[in-house]
Amino acid sequence: MSRKTEILVVGGGPAGLSAAIVAAQLGSKVLLVDDNPHLGGQLIKQTHRFFGSSARDAGIRGFMIAEELLKEAAGLKKNLTILLNTSVVGFYGDTEAGLLSPERYEKVTFERVIVCTGAVENSLNFENNDLPGVYGAGAVQTLMNVHGIRPGNKILMVGSGNIGLIVSYQLMQAGVQVVGLVEAMQTIGGYLVHASKIRRMGVPIYTGHTIVSALGKDGVTGAKLCRLDEKFQMVPNTEFEVKCDCICLAVGLSPLIELFQQADCKMVHVGELGGLVPLHDVNMRTTNPHVYVAGDASGIEEATTAILGGRVAGARATESIHGETAEAGKVVSDAVAELRTLRSGSTGERIRWGREKIEKEIAAC
Amino acid sequence: MAAVADVQEKAAAKEEEGMSLRIDDHPVLSFKKGKKVSFTFEGQQMEGYEGEPIAAALHAAGVRLLRHSPHKHRPRGFFCAIGRCSSCMMEVDGEVNVMTCITPLKAGMVVNRQEGHGVIKP
Amino acid sequence: MLINDGVITREELATVLPSDERFKKGPVAIIECLQDIPCDPCVSSCPKKAITMKSGITDRPKLDEVKCIGCGLCVPRCPGLAIVVLDMTHAARSAALSLPYELHPVPKVGQVVKGLDRTGKAVCEAKVLKVLSAPKFDRTHVITIEIPKDRALEVRAIRVA
């Protein structure tokens, strides 16, 4: 069995949805594929209000932004076909991919593909880190905000980036006690307003600390923590135990990039962006001219930047097939301007460094 | 039996804590659930909601030990909850290596802990 | 220090606190946002245009205490829940503090709750004077509590029994 489309979009989270919507709006025939039973990626789990510009979505809760995107996509059925519960399992040549769903395996031929496969949670090395009850932050969000189930009654959060801070707050909204938040650096990693929110609810933030071991036999019953010095070395005789029945790891994400490697895209390791990413230009195009990228797969960032990157990719992929248009050009210039604003300021520094590395590598190509 | 002890211990702990793990009242979200169904876990009858992931139904019922690792028999539960890490694999209706964090619960399912690699039937 | 433990110090607070003269005139907003993050819903939320950001959305919001009438429309709009409205003229010994609240159970008017400082420590009792919930506020309630004046700069959260 096989299908044909102009633009294949892999992954229906904020990046993929936005890329598919823009491409379909601009007249391309689009096939959007997601391996979940529903679209929206991680965006549907975000109950907090988004930051950014009030001109676009700031102050609106993440899952409501997802609902808006889904409504937009639903209105584009003429050009946009959606396949759920379907995995893109491989690329064959430059314009063919394999699609696997519970019902069938089939091939699809396309002219361009936009890969928006997102990211996977990092784990952390400590004794007994494999005990039942040690969960990734995304897993905790999924359990709570999608399935309506508390991950435990007393949680220890590891990691003070925005994800650790936000998920701690969401845990408290779900009626779970957060016994503490552990951060290896001496300073808090995420937005300080997020940190203040949980501090005034009584959650201690242990900066300059790490988790030494998880305690428990068949599941987590506690954790052993200790202090770290500025060189991240454990300070002797500073160990202490906390009681908890769940340890949540919010220690970063890594881009999911297997499909790019199958497509022979040149990859580059950029620590600030989460690891290996496909080299790509300002049009979100990789070194394989058929392959575009957007969202966390292009570098770990946020849902708003994923949406904007997806819009650029959808517009440019369309133009590369149907020719340049003023309409597509405006989508891109608007998105690029917004991205620049979001990445400005001191909190955007790391991302800017990471992006500069990509630009240098592309220029050298 | 270890499975029963785990479930009973959890149920006792739940009663002690006075709080079920299911969220009935949330300040921002409301949860649509399918119909309540029965399934068996390690021979014990359990209840969950049709369509929710098997691992979620088990978790809500106090079970988070889903399998034992092949070499050192270490207890394992889920980790990523989106079908990427393979930590949650169990035996479901006789089939092994089922990723229970993304497999929807159906009435009458027979769910067992997977010990080690599991045997794939030809 | 805020960056080490998420708790604003007196010195840090002083950079955003309205003047004593302004507090004597009636309710006024306090925007405890001290980082240049890309975010600006507070600016568009103010009907009196009392909140500005000079050079773009990563600027720290600046409150014009003269233009601010303490209406509290900014309180539920801030994604960081960083804005409160403080009325030091509420009564002789007590002040009225309006803060954003997104937990259940939502307290009722007349109920007595605990006033928490920025570390979550209960420092006083607080009577609930008003509970504002509106579809426009999208599930962020604005709770006004009565607290002792000498706790007015400390209390930033409540605990409902």
PDB file of all heavy atoms in Angstrom, chain A residues 267-279:
ATOM      1  N   MET A 267      24.891  16.366  11.164  1.00  0.00           N
ATOM      2  CA  MET A 267      24.493  16.627  12.550  1.00  0.00           C
ATOM      3  C   MET A 267      25.585  17.421  13.242  1.00  0.00           C
ATOM      4  O   MET A 267      26.755  17.365  12.848  1.00  0.00           O
ATOM      5  CB  MET A 267      24.269  15.303  13.312  1.00  0.00           C
ATOM      6  CG  MET A 267      23.343  14.314  12.617  1.00  0.00           C
ATOM      7  SD  MET A 267      21.657  14.904  12.466  1.00  0.00           S
ATOM      8  CE  MET A 267      21.126  14.845  14.147  1.00  0.00           C
ATOM      9  N   VAL A 268      25.210  18.148  14.279  1.00  0.00           N
ATOM     10  CA  VAL A 268      26.207  18.899  15.045  1.00  0.00           C
ATOM     11  C   VAL A 268      25.837  18.802  16.521  1.00  0.00           C
ATOM     12  O   VAL A 268      24.655  18.787  16.878  1.00  0.00           O
ATOM     13  CB  VAL A 268      26.281  20.371  14.568  1.00  0.00           C
ATOM     14  CG1 VAL A 268      24.950  21.080  14.759  1.00  0.00           C
ATOM     15  CG2 VAL A 268      27.394  21.128  15.267  1.00  0.00           C
ATOM     16  N   HIS A 269      26.844  18.681  17.373  1.00  0.00           N
ATOM     17  CA  HIS A 269      26.559  18.582  18.801  1.00  0.00           C
ATOM     18  C   HIS A 269      26.621  19.980  19.410  1.00  0.00           C
ATOM     19  O   HIS A 269      27.660  20.647  19.352  1.00  0.00           O
ATOM     20  CB  HIS A 269      27.576  17.666  19.488  1.00  0.00           C
ATOM     21  CG  HIS A 269      27.179  17.332  20.893  1.00  0.00           C
ATOM     22  ND1 HIS A 269      27.412  18.165  21.955  1.00  0.00           N
ATOM     23  CD2 HIS A 269      26.513  16.263  21.410  1.00  0.00           C
ATOM     24  CE1 HIS A 269      26.922  17.618  23.053  1.00  0.00           C
ATOM     25  NE2 HIS A 269      26.373  16.465  22.756  1.00  0.00           N
ATOM     26  N   VAL A 270      25.485  20.427  19.955  1.00  0.00           N
ATOM     27  CA  VAL A 270      25.438  21.747  20.585  1.00  0.00           C
ATOM     28  C   VAL A 270      24.861  21.575  21.986  1.00  0.00           C
ATOM     29  O   VAL A 270      23.670  21.302  22.150  1.00  0.00           O
ATOM     30  CB  VAL A 270      24.549  22.731  19.777  1.00  0.00           C
ATOM     31  CG1 VAL A 270      24.583  24.115  20.413  1.00  0.00           C
ATOM     32  CG2 VAL A 270      25.004  22.798  18.328  1.00  0.00           C
ATOM     33  N   GLY A 271      25.724  21.712  22.987  1.00  0.00           N
ATOM     34  CA  GLY A 271      25.280  21.497  24.362  1.00  0.00           C
ATOM     35  C   GLY A 271      24.122  22.383  24.755  1.00  0.00           C
ATOM     36  O   GLY A 271      23.171  21.935  25.402  1.00  0.00           O
ATOM     37  N   GLU A 272      24.177  23.663  24.336  1.00  0.00           N
ATOM     38  CA  GLU A 272      23.125  24.618  24.723  1.00  0.00           C
ATOM     39  C   GLU A 272      21.771  24.245  24.157  1.00  0.00           C
ATOM     40  O   GLU A 272      20.745  24.716  24.630  1.00  0.00           O
ATOM     41  CB  GLU A 272      23.487  26.035  24.254  1.00  0.00           C
ATOM     42  CG  GLU A 272      24.660  26.670  24.979  1.00  0.00           C
ATOM     43  CD  GLU A 272      25.981  26.290  24.359  1.00  0.00           C
ATOM     44  OE1 GLU A 272      25.981  25.544  23.368  1.00  0.00           O
ATOM     45  OE2 GLU A 272      27.029  26.734  24.871  1.00  0.00           O
ATOM     46  N   LEU A 273      21.765  23.405  23.109  1.00  0.00           N
ATOM     47  CA  LEU A 273      20.490  23.023  22.490  1.00  0.00           C
ATOM     48  C   LEU A 273      20.074  21.605  22.872  1.00  0.00           C
ATOM     49  O   LEU A 273      19.122  21.075  22.324  1.00  0.00           O
ATOM     50  CB  LEU A 273      20.574  23.177  20.968  1.00  0.00           C
ATOM     51  CG  LEU A 273      20.843  24.605  20.478  1.00  0.00           C
ATOM     52  CD1 LEU A 273      20.895  24.653  18.954  1.00  0.00           C
ATOM     53  CD2 LEU A 273      19.782  25.572  20.982  1.00  0.00           C
ATOM     54  N   GLY A 274      20.831  20.986  23.773  1.00  0.00           N
ATOM     55  CA  GLY A 274      20.410  19.684  24.279  1.00  0.00           C
ATOM     56  C   GLY A 274      21.154  18.492  23.717  1.00  0.00           C
ATOM     57  O   GLY A 274      20.866  17.357  24.090  1.00  0.00           O
ATOM     58  N   GLY A 275      22.110  18.710  22.805  1.00  0.00           N
ATOM     59  CA  GLY A 275      22.859  17.578  22.272  1.00  0.00           C
ATOM     60  C   GLY A 275      22.970  17.621  20.771  1.00  0.00           C
ATOM     61  O   GLY A 275      23.173  18.668  20.174  1.00  0.00           O
ATOM     62  N   LEU A 276      22.797  16.448  20.157  1.00  0.00           N
ATOM     63  CA  LEU A 276      22.928  16.364  18.707  1.00  0.00           C
ATOM     64  C   LEU A 276      21.689  16.937  18.033  1.00  0.00           C
ATOM     65  O   LEU A 276      20.561  16.537  18.334  1.00  0.00           O
ATOM     66  CB  LEU A 276      23.049  14.895  18.281  1.00  0.00           C
ATOM     67  CG  LEU A 276      24.419  14.276  18.094  1.00  0.00           C
ATOM     68  CD1 LEU A 276      24.256  12.874  17.509  1.00  0.00           C
ATOM     69  CD2 LEU A 276      25.300  15.107  17.166  1.00  0.00           C
ATOM     70  N   VAL A 277      21.913  17.865  17.111  1.00  0.00           N
ATOM     71  CA  VAL A 277      20.793  18.389  16.318  1.00  0.00           C
ATOM     72  C   VAL A 277      21.194  18.368  14.852  1.00  0.00           C
ATOM     73  O   VAL A 277      22.384  18.425  14.535  1.00  0.00           O
ATOM     74  CB  VAL A 277      20.402  19.835  16.730  1.00  0.00           C
ATOM     75  CG1 VAL A 277      19.827  19.872  18.122  1.00  0.00           C
ATOM     76  CG2 VAL A 277      21.580  20.772  16.596  1.00  0.00           C
ATOM     77  N   PRO A 278      20.202  18.318  13.948  1.00  0.00           N
ATOM     78  CA  PRO A 278      20.564  18.409  12.529  1.00  0.00           C
ATOM     79  C   PRO A 278      20.959  19.844  12.208  1.00  0.00           C
ATOM     80  O   PRO A 278      20.303  20.795  12.665  1.00  0.00           O
ATOM     81  CB  PRO A 278      19.259  18.030  11.813  1.00  0.00           C
ATOM     82  CG  PRO A 278      18.186  18.365  12.775  1.00  0.00           C
ATOM     83  CD  PRO A 278      18.755  18.190  14.149  1.00  0.00           C
ATOM     84  N   LEU A 279      22.028  20.010  11.464  1.00  0.00           N
ATOM     85  CA  LEU A 279      22.439  21.337  11.045  1.00  0.00           C
ATOM     86  C   LEU A 279      21.303  21.921  10.192  1.00  0.00           C
ATOM     87  O   LEU A 279      20.783  21.248   9.313  1.00  0.00           O
ATOM     88  CB  LEU A 279      23.716  21.201  10.225  1.00  0.00           C
ATOM     89  CG  LEU A 279      24.670  22.373  10.172  1.00  0.00           C
ATOM     90  CD1 LEU A 279      24.973  22.890  11.556  1.00  0.00           C
ATOM     91  CD2 LEU A 279      25.966  21.921   9.484  1.00  0.00           C
TER      92      LEU A 279
END
